[in-house]
Amino acid sequence: MKNLFKLSALLFFFGLLLTSCEETRDDMQTPKSIYELASADSDLSNLKAAIDKAGLAATLSESGSFTVFAPSNAAFSQFLADNGFASLNDVPNAALKEILLNHVLASKVMAAQVTTGYVSTLAKGNASSSKNLSMFINTASGIKINGISTVTKTDITASNGVIHKVDKVIGLPTVVTHALANPNFSSLVSALTRNDMPDFAGILSGTTNSPFTVFAPTNAAFSSLLTELNLPNLAAVPAATLENVLKYHVVAGANVLSTDITNNMNVTTFQGGTFKSTTTGGVKITDANNRVSNVIATDVQCSNGVIHAIDKVLLP
C-alpha cells in the first residue's frame, strides 16, 4: 500500500510537470500580432507610440495578412528633425496615420518573395480617391524602398503578417520621389534637373497645379530620341526645345488613371499643346508630329499625381 501511494504521488508529480511544460511551450509558441511585436521591441518604441497616436493599434492587432516596413527609433527621430517637429505629439494625427499606412502592404511578403517593382500601400494621397499610393521596391543592392529607406532586418513573423525593419521613415511619395527612385527614369531626372531648366523638381514635388499626370519616358526612350535627332547627349538638346518637350509630357490639374484613358481622347498638356490617346491593342499616344508611343507601365500613384511610363519621347 505504501509503495502504491508513492507511485501515485510520483505519477501525479510527473503529470503536473508535463502539464506545466506544455503550457510553457504553448505560451512560447503563441504567435504575437504585429502590434504586440512592435510593443515588445525597444527599438520600435517610437513606432508603437505613433501607432497608438494614429489609432492604428486595433488594425495591426486584428487577424489579417500585412507586411509592415517598421522604422527604427533613430529613423523616427530623423523624420521629426527633418520636418521641424519637436516631438511625435506635434505631428497631426491625420498626416501621421497616412504616413504609417504608407509603410503597410495588404499582404504578407517575406524577404525571399520581394522583387523589384511597384506595390500598393494602404495609404491614400490627395491626388486620387480610388487608387492607393505606390511603393517602389528596388532589390539591386539589398532592399530599398522609394529610393530612400533601406531594409535592415527581415522576416520578423507575426500572427497577422511580417515585419521588416527599415532605417528611414517612408514619406508620402511625390511624382519626383518616384522618378528618382526608379533607375529606369534616370535620363528623365537628368533632363528635368538640367541647370538651364525651370524648377521642375520643385513644381512636381508640390501641390500648385496638382494633381499631375506624367507620361514618363524611359531611359531607352531618351536614347532613341537622341539617335532620332542625331544628338550626342541630353546636354546637346537646346534649352527651349527641352523645356517644351518636358512640359508636353505633363497634364496639370488631373490625376488621369489608365482606366480614365479612352479611345481617341485629346489631351491638353502643361505645355499648351495636345496629343491623342488610343486604346486599341494597348494604350498608345500620338504626338503632334504623328509619332506613336506605347504606354508600357501604368498607374504609379503619387501623393500629388500619377505616372505612366512610355517607350518614346513625345515631341510637341
Side-chain angles (χ1 to χ4, degrees), residues 175 188 192 200 203-204 208-217 242-254 256 267-275 285 304-308 310 314:
V175 167
L188 173 61
L192 289 168
F200 284 125
I203 293 168
L204 295 174
T208 303
N209 295 316
S210 70
F212 302 101
T213 300
V214 177
F215 294 89
L242 184 60
E243 180 178 341
N244 270 324
V245 167
L246 292 173
K247 287 181 176 178
Y248 192 60
H249 289 76
V250 179
V251 178
V256 183
V267 178
T268 301
T269 71
F270 190 45
Q271 183 263 349
T274 62
F275 59 72
I285 295 171
N304 66 338
V306 66
I307 297 173
H308 308 294
I310 57 176
L314 308 174

Side-chain angles (χ1 to χ4, degrees), residues 6-18:
K6 287 182 178 179
L7 179 60
S8 296
L10 190 61
L11 289 173
F12 178 72
F13 172 75
F14 276 116
L16 286 176
L17 184 62
L18 286 172

Side-chain angles (χ1 to χ4, degrees), residues 85-100:
F85 296 117
S87 72
L88 193 62
N89 290 331
D90 296 323
V91 185
N93 276 10
L96 182 61
K97 182 177 181 179
E98 285 304 300
I99 290 168
L100 291 176

